[in-house]
Amino acid sequence: MVFLTRILHRAPTARKRGFVDKLRVYVRGGSGGMGLPKHNGRGGDGGHVIFVAKEDMTLKQVIDATPNKRFIAGIGAHATRRAIQGDKGPNLRVEVPTGISVLTDTKQVIGNLNQPGDQVVVAKGGQGGAHWSDFLPKKGQIRSVTMELKLISDIGLVGFPNAGKSTLLKAVSSADPKIADYPFTTMRPQIGIMQYEDLRRVSLADLPGLIEGAHNNAGMGHHFLRHVERTKLLLFMVDVHGFILSMKHPHRTAFQTVALLMKELELYKSDLVDKPTVLAINKMDIQGAEEKAEELLYKLNHFEDAVTELPKDMRPKRRVEFEDIFQISAKEKQGLNELKGKVRVILDEALEEEQEKEKKQAIRRIQKESSYGKTVERRVDII
Ligand SMILES: Nc1nc2c(ncn2[C@@H]2O[C@H](COP(=O)(O)OP(=O)(O)OP(=O)(O)O)[C@@H](O)[C@H]2O)c(=O)[nH]1
Ligand SMILES: [Mg+2]
């Protein structure tokens, strides 16, 4: 009962609080200071607005710190008789989350802040007045910029709530996500890095749980699937014992949750179904897991028949073909080395394919350019 009370208490809160992954703000560089004609004095330059990436920060915290979403840097000091050169206006340094792109309203990228400490000037300060400007200062740059959180990770974890996604992330990386025995514990995506012995690093994104009807905004909604669009591999994760959201909802077996995940993916963007995908069957340490895992594997092998358990509109049109299936216990760290190893092989193969494709494209480009070069030469000859 405690469990259910917590679910019912928790789910709506999760939905209400939401997650900000895009934020448009006003930024203005400081104006320059006035020059002083009589003494050939120069006004100080205005300060810049600078975004600085900070670890573990959210866009929500940016809004909380500055609810009016206006960032204005300091103005340069006027030149005076005592200070012929006016002081520069102070820069305004704004802490923003790591992993954002900063874009103009015309979608031009001003900068990508990928590492903590990365910084970008988003609005330049105006120059101070000097003889070349008739001692009149320039205004600072004014614009609206959008911060867009983009998760670029190699692997995206997709699963129902409580499947153990965050437990897996914690077990294989140094990330420290919140883990709890109620659904929707993870409210926003989080990335962890798996490091291999040869120092190869693979990133893994833990996403909030999906449930049936997610495309209709059930649970945390579809929103987060945006972040798996660019991943190279999807890792489906299921609790071998299935899932139940509350007493009002039907219990879904592991097979049904897998089929429902496929359906939600398909409804979000049908080509996601073609992404390389592996399946991790979790919680194999709990009694009775073996038989349930066997049943799941059997049903996956007889997918067309088994999927008729679900109402027609919940059946995926096309099934996801898993590259590999693992039986693990994220909590007891069983089967994780094998999972890590195979996942890497798949990723390395995908990388090789990508490089091969890029190489071919580059060769084609060079061939095109060189044939263009010849034409130009010939034309020159004629002239
Ligand atoms: N017995 C057992 N329990 C597990 C295992 N993996 C996770 N759990 C437990 O299952 C519960 C849910 O784990 P989480 O890692 O928070 O699940 P999640 O998929 O991230 O859930 P959401 O963030 O709500 O989507 C926790 O109580 C975990 O301790 C496992 O392999 N075995
Ligand atoms: Mg979680």
Side-chain angles (χ1 to χ4, degrees):
M1 203 56 221
V2 173
F3 176 58
L4 281 176
T5 326
R6 283 167 80 182
I7 293 171
L8 298 172
H9 167 72
R10 182 82 185 181
T13 335
R15 234 170 290 150
K16 209 164 80 193
R17 267 172 62 187
F19 167 64
V20 185
D21 59 0
K22 224 179 199 189
L23 178 63
R24 187 164 174 264
V25 296
Y26 171 91
V27 290
R28 190 167 92 202
S31 303
M34 292 284 283
L36 190 63
K38 211 164 147 195
H39 297 89
N40 199 20
R42 214 196 126 139
D45 293 340
H48 306 313
V49 180
I50 303 172
F51 284 178
V52 187
K54 197 178 163 214
E55 212 169 358
D56 291 333
M57 178 137 190
T58 64
L59 285 176
K60 178 90 180 11
Q61 284 171 327
V62 177
I63 308 178
D64 288 347
T66 315
N68 67 3
K69 295 185 256 174
R70 290 166 70 85
F71 298 98
I72 300 166
I75 53 175
H78 301 321
T80 59
R81 260 194 314 161
R82 283 163 148 218
I84 299 269
Q85 167 70 63
D87 283 345
K88 186 179 176 320
N91 290 334
L92 178 65
R93 295 169 67 83
V94 183
E95 288 183 336
V96 298
T98 300
I100 59 164
S101 293
V102 186
L103 310 166
T104 64
D105 279 350
T106 55
K107 295 271 173 238
Q108 271 177 319
V109 179
I110 303 173
N112 290 311
L113 304 180
N114 294 325
Q115 305 284 337
D118 282 358
Q119 43 180 289
V120 61
V121 173
V122 290
K124 285 192 186 128
Q127 281 181 322
H131 64 277
W132 45 264
S133 66
D134 269 346
F135 297 94
L136 293 174
K138 293 260 190 299
K139 278 196 168 155
Q141 193 176 17
I142 300 178
R143 57 181 166 179
S144 290
V145 296
T146 300
M147 291 177 247
E148 222 175 69
L149 197 61
K150 46 158 192 147
L151 291 181
I152 301 180
S153 72
D154 299 309
I155 306 174
L157 271 170
V158 180
F160 268 53
N162 254 348
K165 302 177 293 297
S166 304
T167 308
L168 177 70
L169 183 80
K170 192 177 160 93
V172 296
S173 77
S174 54
D176 191 16
K178 189 170 170 193
I179 293 166
D181 64 352
Y182 49 78
F184 307 116
T185 306
T186 302
M187 315 247 297
R188 63 187 183 89
Q190 192 175 350
I191 291 189
I193 309 284
M194 289 200 289
Q195 178 134 12
Y196 289 81
E197 272 171 14
D198 61 352
L199 301 186
R200 164 103 150 89
R201 288 155 68 88
V202 167
S203 53
L204 185 69
D206 177 21
L207 301 178
L210 274 183
I211 55 173
E212 57 194 270
H215 63 282
N216 278 333
N217 258 336
M220 301 284 291
H222 249 192
H223 192 62
F224 299 105
L225 281 178
R226 185 155 81 80
H227 296 297
V228 302
E229 279 181 49
R230 282 188 281 182
T231 57
K232 300 188 187 79
L233 176 76
L234 297 182
L235 200 166
F236 271 33
M237 191 156 190
V238 288
D239 180 337
V240 71
H241 305 277
F243 175 76
I244 180 162
L245 181 61
S246 79
M247 291 287 263
K248 288 188 289 181
H249 296 82
H251 174 265
R252 296 297 186 195
T253 63
F255 171 75
Q256 289 168 347
T257 57
V258 174
L260 288 165
L261 283 176
M262 291 179 191
K263 184 70 189 171
E264 291 304 327
L265 228 59
E266 171 187 298
L267 288 170
Y268 175 76
K269 214 171 199 189
S270 56
D271 55 5
L272 277 183
V273 178
D274 298 318
K275 235 183 221 307
T277 306
V278 294
L279 172 66
I281 307 174
N282 192 30
K283 306 200 186 178
M284 289 304 296
D285 56 296
I286 299 177
Q287 245 202 349
E290 302 256 320
E291 297 85 72
K292 286 189 174 148
E294 249 168 56
E295 185 189 323
L296 168 58
L297 292 175
Y298 177 86
K299 288 189 171 173
L300 286 173
N301 280 331
H302 300 82
F303 195 87
E304 297 307 322
D305 286 337
V307 82
T308 56
E309 290 174 10
L310 287 170
K312 250 192 182 143
D313 60 336
M314 290 190 179
R315 300 176 200 162
K317 288 201 185 80
R318 267 174 60 214
R319 59 169 297 187
V320 171
E321 297 290 348
F322 296 115
E323 307 253 337
D324 224 319
I325 298 179
F326 307 91
Q327 298 185 25
I328 63 166
S329 165
K331 194 173 176 182
E332 302 300 329
K333 303 196 175 170
Q334 288 162 8
L336 302 190
N337 282 340
E338 196 198 344
L339 175 81
K340 261 181 87 171
K342 292 246 173 99
V343 150
R344 170 166 180 179
V345 173
I346 298 172
L347 282 175
D348 285 350
E349 277 169 9
L351 192 70
E352 266 172 39
E353 259 173 49
E354 211 174 280
Q355 285 171 342
E356 202 55 41
K357 222 162 71 192
E358 273 171 18
K359 223 162 61 190
K360 277 188 191 150
Q361 275 171 353
I363 292 173
R364 240 177 279 141
R365 215 173 28 241
I366 292 167
Q367 281 170 343
K368 222 170 159 187
E369 276 167 15
S370 62
S371 69
Y372 174 72
K374 271 182 211 149
T375 339
V376 172
E377 262 172 37
R378 247 180 271 130
R379 262 197 231 142
V380 171
D381 284 344
I382 295 164
I383 292 167

